Amino acid sequence: MPSPYRAIFATPGTKGFTAAGLIGRMPLSMVGIGVLTMITELGGSYGLAGGITATIALSAAAVGPQVSRLVDQYGQRRVLRPATLVAAASVTGLLLSAAYEWPTWTLFVFAVVAGCVPSVGSMVRARWTALFRDTPQLHTAYSFESIVDELCFIIGPPLAATLSASWFPEAGPVVALVCLLTGVWWLTALTATEPKPHPRHPHTDRSSALRSPGLQVLVATFAATGAIFGSVDVATLAFAEEQGNKSLGGVFLAIWAFGSCLAGIVFGLLHFKGRAEPRWMLGISAMAVSMIPLLLAGNLPFLAVALFVSGLAIAPTMITTMALIEAHVPHAKLTEGMTWISTGLAVGVALGSSVAGWVVDAAGARTGYVVSLSAGVTAAAVAFAGFRRLTRPAQGEEPGTDGDGDSRAERVRRDGEDAGHVA
């Protein structure tokens, strides 16, 4: 592992919460494809399966930030374990409903409740931030987390689909559920690196992190970015099927994720000077432009190359986005702020996949990439329109405080005490 990455793992406790976070976030990439495969293997239609997965995604988008808001207030251990149990119970109900052919409406009821699954990636990033805030190591830590995200999307979807197709229909979601329970319980047991909660006081700002103008721009932009992801998934699977090799669709999506993973590794080794906002704009624009070659793909080898090149812009943009959240959201609301980005992505994925599916049915697989390009252009337009908000000083906290009324000096003293506890 290159030296910048070795350096961040020299801090006690980081290896443990990283491993727990990797296991705990695997369901992020496994549940959707696992439920899709399960429903179709049990004889359900693709329309029903798509509706259930979209319901889970939209429910997570609505409930996830509220769970993270409670985490900021009460701490990870007190909130994540009950929320995970509720999510596990609802997923179990979904599996039983499908297996025993209960009424269709029960599938959607359980899918709605499953949305309380916590954003494990945001919890891990919050721990990195508590350890390395205002240091160059934080950029490396965010880069590593983006690598882990892409690793999950390289391994998770084919694993879930293979388990459900070759073992038994519910196998993919079952394994995802085991990963969630294992990862969350392990993560919350590591209390030495858990960020300190920010309980409410009479003078505490109780508003949502989304009131930050900068965060509003980031979330709106990533809603369009999520539409890129959702539409590329659908169009790529359909294109592979049209070319007579449907099984390669998942492989090509893994190539896309591998390009992002490789770019994230390199990006984490670099140290940048100056403001992050111009780099973020460049990344969003690059993602939009990289959709053009997908429209020109006439065969599978060309598509594979185009997807790899397109993936190179993803992780660097995500890494820079996390840095901007840390700059624009009060520290007492950081976990909630990070989860709002996941919310924007989830809404975009649901919208992009549904629109792309309709376009593919009507005009063919390659036309589905028109939806991807349109989403990229929309993301760039929103980013340009809101760029001035990002360059303004962060709002929502008074100068010299961390958003909970504590002075910077008090926070530095407290962080020093925490570092002593961790050591």
Side-chain angles (χ1 to χ4, degrees):
M1 188 179 293
S3 57
Y5 293 107
R6 286 202 305 268
I8 62 174
F9 285 107
T11 303
T14 54
K15 294 177 183 177
F17 73 66
T18 297
L22 171 61
I23 296 172
R25 81 181 76 180
M26 284 299 294
L28 177 67
S29 63
M30 293 180 66
V31 168
I33 190 68
V35 170
L36 181 70
T37 307
M38 177 188 72
I39 295 296
T40 54
E41 286 289 318
L42 291 172
S45 67
Y46 277 97
L48 173 62
I52 293 172
T53 55
T55 300
I56 294 174
L58 292 176
S59 176
V63 179
Q66 310 312 317
V67 173
S68 294
R69 191 174 185 180
L70 292 174
V71 167
D72 285 328
Q73 183 178 351
Y74 296 108
Q76 293 187 2
R77 184 185 180 94
R78 290 182 61 187
V79 175
L80 295 188
R81 290 189 172 187
T84 300
L85 289 177
V86 173
S90 62
V91 172
T92 301
L94 177 64
L95 300 183
L96 293 174
S97 298
Y100 291 99
E101 299 181 353
W102 293 354
T104 301
W105 62 266
T106 61
L107 297 171
F108 288 93
V109 170
F110 286 122
V112 169
V113 182
C116 69
V117 61
S119 176
V120 176
S122 298
M123 307 303 157
V124 175
R125 286 182 171 91
R127 291 186 181 229
W128 285 118
T129 305
L131 290 174
F132 296 129
R133 180 177 289 133
D134 301 327
T135 69
Q137 286 81 6
L138 188 58
H139 167 76
T140 306
Y142 284 162
S143 300
F144 182 81
E145 286 304 307
S146 290
I147 296 168
V148 173
D149 284 341
E150 298 306 331
L151 184 63
C152 290
F153 279 95
I154 291 173
I155 299 173
L159 175 62
T162 301
L163 288 172
S164 292
S166 61
W167 195 5
F168 58 92
E170 300 85 359
V174 166
V175 172
L177 184 58
V178 172
C179 288
L180 176 65
L181 289 168
T182 302
V184 169
W185 245 254
W186 185 6
L187 180 68
T188 52
L190 304 174
T191 56
T193 55
E194 181 179 347
K196 292 184 71 67
H198 296 81
R200 290 181 177 179
H201 301 296
H203 301 292
T204 298
D205 179 10
R206 302 189 180 188
S207 62
S208 170
L210 197 57
R211 289 190 61 184
S212 165
L215 183 61
Q216 292 170 7
V217 174
L218 295 173
V219 172
T221 302
F222 270 80
T225 303
I228 296 177
F229 298 157
S231 58
V232 168
D233 284 351
V234 172
T236 300
L237 293 173
F239 188 87
E241 184 175 10
E242 284 186 357
Q243 295 293 311
N245 206 334
K246 183 179 180 180
S247 61
L248 283 179
V251 176
F252 281 11
L253 292 176
I255 291 174
W256 192 33
F258 177 71
S260 176
C261 181
L262 185 62
I265 293 173
V266 175
F267 195 76
L269 299 176
L270 305 176
H271 294 285
F272 298 95
K273 296 181 179 180
R275 298 182 64 86
E277 289 85 353
R279 293 195 299 274
W280 182 77
M281 279 296 316
L282 179 62
I284 295 295
S285 301
M287 290 179 65
V289 173
S290 69
M291 294 297 105
I292 296 175
L294 300 180
L295 290 170
L296 306 177
N299 53 62
L300 292 177
F302 186 98
L303 179 64
V305 174
L307 284 170
F308 176 80
V309 174
S310 172
L312 296 176
I314 297 175
T317 306
M318 290 296 299
I319 294 165
T320 308
T321 301
M322 293 302 164
L324 289 176
I325 293 173
E326 205 270 334
H328 282 269
V329 174
H331 298 144
K333 304 176 183 179
L334 183 61
T335 309
E336 180 193 351
M338 290 180 173
T339 306
W340 274 113
I341 293 295
S342 301
T343 293
L345 283 171
V347 172
V349 167
L351 179 62
S353 59
S354 60
V355 173
W358 178 80
V359 171
V360 166
D361 287 339
R366 196 156 60 163
T367 309
Y369 290 119
V370 173
V371 180
S372 307
L373 178 60
S374 300
V377 171
T378 301
V382 172
F384 274 106
F387 185 71
R388 292 184 63 183
R389 288 190 175 192
L390 285 177
T391 56
R392 294 172 185 167
Q395 298 180 13
E397 62 179 44
E398 296 180 0
T401 70
D402 66 0
D404 195 31
D406 292 339
S407 67
R408 293 288 190 216
E410 175 65 17
R411 179 173 62 81
V412 170
R413 182 192 63 77
R414 188 174 64 237
D415 289 349
E417 293 177 352
D418 293 344
H421 292 317
V422 171

